[in-house]
Amino acid sequence: MAAFFFGLLLFAMQPPPIPSRPAERGDGDQGPPLSPTASSPLALNDTGATGHPNGTFKQLPHIIIIGVRKGGTRALIEMLSLHSAVAAAENEVHFFDWESHFQKGIPWYLSQMPFTLPDQLTVEKTPAYFTSSKVPERIHDMNPGIKLLLILRDPTERVLSDYTQVFYNRLQKHKRYQPIESLLVKDGEINLGYKALNRSLYHLHLQNWLRYFPLESIHVVDGDKLIRDPFPEMKRVERFLNLEPQINASNFYFNKTKGFYCLRDHGRERCLHDSKGRAHPHVAPAILHKLYRFFHEPNRKFFELVGRTFNWN
């Protein structure tokens, strides 16, 4: 923690950053700006207007998508980026969960953010944050008023997606892989040592976040609904972030070839990478039933924590 505040001290001594031209949208229009509602106490206080023709600068994030892995974080940040008042970091930053990055301090973290107009909100997403025990306290130390987005799917489906990603990664690298049954079940029982299972125990991880943030600061996005019908879920995200309503149904269209929704922005169409939406491996019905039963009680505890239910098996 001492290293964190030492980095903060060094950051405070830095001169204002040199502005750069923000990424242009399809028609060159930045859209109506919106004032941030949860400005970080560590963000730059330079408005960027004096001496900078395009008025851009870097800010620490006002919004962080904290997870979960294989929950739909890429789709969420792409859809959120449809809003002209939101600017997203290009890559997963892993600042708060990777010690090698965290030791570089706040100035390095700031350098990973996009250039924005003063009235835009900055967002970054790192799915591993949700399941890392040390991350909530570190983010709270940076900005206790930050807005957090958490996108979750049916925990069984998330486990299967997790395995599928690792399976294809190992396949491409010509590495050996284990059949999913051997990972899910050990000695006839659910294998609690399988990391993918632990990531789906949502209530355990959320309890850690609630030690530092009120539930009102965390919006849970239904990842299964986002896949089936993204527009209503994104309207809820807009309201949580106090954004001017701007995302509309015409921003989404169903791609029959890919089997999921793609985006339409200022006349341009784009879809998620081909690695998204891969078919899951076949799992014996008996093992699936065992998984459903295993997650029944953890799911109930999670529903109690958030005060709502989800249509999970």
Side-chain angles (χ1 to χ4, degrees), residues 252-282:
F252 308 98
Y253 70 97
F254 189 78
N255 186 306
K256 293 182 179 180
T257 302
K258 292 182 174 293
F260 52 78
Y261 277 89
C262 296
L263 309 182
R264 185 181 291 115
D265 184 20
H266 293 86
R268 294 183 302 172
E269 296 181 352
R270 68 180 190 275
C271 292
L272 297 180
H273 192 269
D274 289 340
S275 63
K276 307 299 180 181
R278 284 171 171 162
H280 292 168
H282 172 74

Side-chain angles (χ1 to χ4, degrees), residues 183 190-198:
L183 293 170
I190 292 296
N191 179 15
L192 301 180
Y194 183 32
K195 289 183 179 180
L197 279 171
N198 178 271

Side-chain angles (χ1 to χ4, degrees), residues 75-265:
L76 178 58
I77 200 168
E78 291 288 341
M79 293 176 185
L80 188 55
S81 296
L82 292 168
H83 203 292
S84 64
V86 174
E90 185 175 350
N91 301 308
E92 293 179 5
V93 183
H94 286 283
F95 176 65
F96 296 102
D97 62 323
W98 288 2
E99 290 301 320
S100 59
H101 285 176
F102 189 69
Q103 293 304 318
K104 295 178 181 180
I106 287 291
W108 181 87
Y109 185 46
L110 182 67
S111 73
Q112 306 305 301
M113 298 302 123
F115 282 96
T116 63
L117 294 169
D119 294 333
Q120 284 184 303
L121 299 173
T122 298
V123 59
E124 75 117 323
K125 75 113 177 166
T126 301
Y129 286 166
F130 181 56
T131 55
S132 176
S133 61
K134 58 197 171 188
V135 168
E137 182 178 12
R138 289 177 170 183
I139 292 180
H140 185 271
D141 286 344
M142 179 189 73
N143 180 9
I146 200 164
K147 295 281 190 177
L148 303 172
L149 293 175
L150 172 63
I151 181 166
L152 301 175
R153 297 173 61 194
D154 180 307
T156 299
E157 289 298 310
R158 200 219 62 80
V159 169
L160 299 181
S161 291
D162 203 320
Y163 172 84
T164 301
Q165 176 173 296
V166 174
F167 169 80
Y168 278 102
N169 286 345
R170 296 187 70 84
L171 204 62
Q172 291 171 357
K173 296 175 182 178
H174 306 288
K175 293 184 177 180
R176 293 180 60 187
Y177 59 87
Q178 292 179 264
I180 189 169
E181 288 85 358
S182 66
L183 293 170
L184 290 174
V185 178
K186 186 176 182 180
D187 299 326
E189 299 296 330
I190 292 296
N191 179 15
L192 301 180
Y194 183 32
K195 289 183 179 180
L197 279 171
N198 178 271
R199 295 187 188 106
S200 282
L201 296 175
Y202 301 147
H203 73 291
L204 293 179
H205 304 297
L206 184 61
Q207 284 172 343
N208 189 36
W209 285 87
L210 293 177
R211 292 174 57 202
Y212 300 94
F213 294 96
L215 187 59
E216 294 74 24
S217 295
I218 306 172
H219 176 67
V220 181
V221 179
D222 189 326
D224 297 305
K225 287 185 177 179
L226 190 76
I227 294 171
R228 294 193 302 267
D229 188 9
F231 178 55
E233 280 301 304
M234 291 311 300
K235 298 309 291 182
R236 294 183 184 96
V237 171
E238 277 186 328
R239 287 194 293 270
F240 171 72
L241 299 176
N242 296 320
L243 289 169
E244 174 188 340
Q246 192 178 103
I247 299 173
N248 56 67
S250 65
N251 288 127
F252 308 98
Y253 70 97
F254 189 78
N255 186 306
K256 293 182 179 180
T257 302
K258 292 182 174 293
F260 52 78
Y261 277 89
C262 296
L263 309 182
R264 185 181 291 115
D265 184 20

Side-chain angles (χ1 to χ4, degrees), residues 14-35:
Q14 298 300 311
I18 299 174
S20 174
R21 183 177 300 279
E24 293 184 354
R25 297 186 178 271
D27 57 3
D29 181 15
Q30 293 296 321
L34 179 70
S35 296

